[in-house]
Amino acid sequence: MGEPLYRRVVIKVSGESFAGGQSFGIDQPTIDRIAGDLIAAQKLGVEVAVVVGGGNIFRGVEVSSRGVSRPTGDTMGMLATVMNCLALEAAIERHAVPARTLSAMVMPQVCELFTRAAAHKYLSEGRIVLLAGGTGNPYFTTDTTAVLRAAEIGASAVLKATNVDGVYSADPKKDPKATRFERLSHSQAVEGNYKVMDATAFALARETSLPIIVFSIAEPGSIGAILTGTGRGTIVAG
């Protein structure tokens, strides 16, 4: 691979990616592969932070529909986020690469400042920083968390990993002429109804001039390919 296009990135990975097609729980081989891809990205000289989703926060709605309170369902989602982070941290450290899990949730100011300072410190030490991002809050999603944290720690880009093979308008099955890193403006993404990220994440990215690069995490090595400009993805910029 060539030189990386970015030196510090935040990668948003949903909990569904960790499930490996299962309805509940985690799929260890999938987590091991994602951990290997993150380590390979770090070896390119990139400082890597990962915002991890719970993957079953939406199940909180399902649980609520069966008579359990919504707060209980949301708590289940946040617990799943912690489980996913710790599983990924363990998988990374099995390769003798240090990782550290921090909270990405909105907290009082003193905690926000601590998280930001700690992320800087751990990234500069060569750790992969994992941010537990599942909030259970439909108005502050993991997408929003990823862009907010990226802006706070001075990342150059937000990478949104998806499970699909091909991404949005850069999907070769939908558009055979799509090139690598097809570029969409914020207005095009909104008007074309591309489900790239939620509206708040879009607005934050536009205000902070952060590009969002959406790509498929389904193939091994996809993170490194995106970071070096050889992978297929969609750039959304303001």
Side-chain angles (χ1 to χ4, degrees), residues 166-167 170-172 175-182 213-216 225-226 230-234:
V167 182
D171 187 339
D175 183 2
K177 297 181 181 179
T179 59
R180 293 189 182 97
F181 284 111
E182 181 166 345
I213 305 173
V214 190
F215 71 103
S216 172
I226 288 294
T230 58
R232 182 183 292 276
T234 300

Side-chain angles (χ1 to χ4, degrees), residues 202-227:
F202 260 144
L204 281 170
R206 182 177 57 181
E207 290 299 320
T208 55
S209 301
L210 270 171
I212 299 170
I213 305 173
V214 190
F215 71 103
S216 172
I217 201 172
E219 295 298 323
S222 56
I223 296 174
I226 288 294
L227 288 173

Side-chain angles (χ1 to χ4, degrees), residues 45-62:
V46 179
E47 294 179 335
V48 178
V50 186
V51 171
V52 178
N56 73 348
I57 291 175
F58 69 91
R59 295 183 191 117
V61 178
E62 180 184 349

Side-chain angles (χ1 to χ4, degrees), residues 4 12 16 20 22 48 51 61 76 81 88 101 135 154-155 158 166 183 185 202 229 233:
K12 185 264 180 173
E16 285 88 344
Q22 302 179 116
V48 178
V51 171
V61 178
M76 290 172 61
T81 303
L88 183 58
T101 296
T135 65
V158 177
R183 187 176 294 273
S185 69
F202 260 144

Side-chain angles (χ1 to χ4, degrees), residues 4-5 12 15 31 35 40 56 62 73 86 92 103 106-107 116 144 156 170 184 190-191 204 216 219 233 235:
L5 302 174
K12 185 264 180 173
I31 288 183
N56 73 348
E62 180 184 349
L86 293 178
I92 291 169
S103 173
V106 178
M107 298 177 290
R116 189 183 315 162
T144 302
S156 304
L184 294 172
V190 172
E191 292 167 6
L204 281 170
S216 172
E219 295 298 323
I235 295 181

Side-chain angles (χ1 to χ4, degrees), residues 144-170:
T144 302
T145 300
V147 178
L148 178 63
R149 288 296 177 230
E152 286 181 339
I153 67 173
S156 304
V158 177
L159 278 60
K160 180 177 179 179
T162 70
N163 291 326
V164 298
D165 183 14
V167 182
Y168 306 100
S169 65

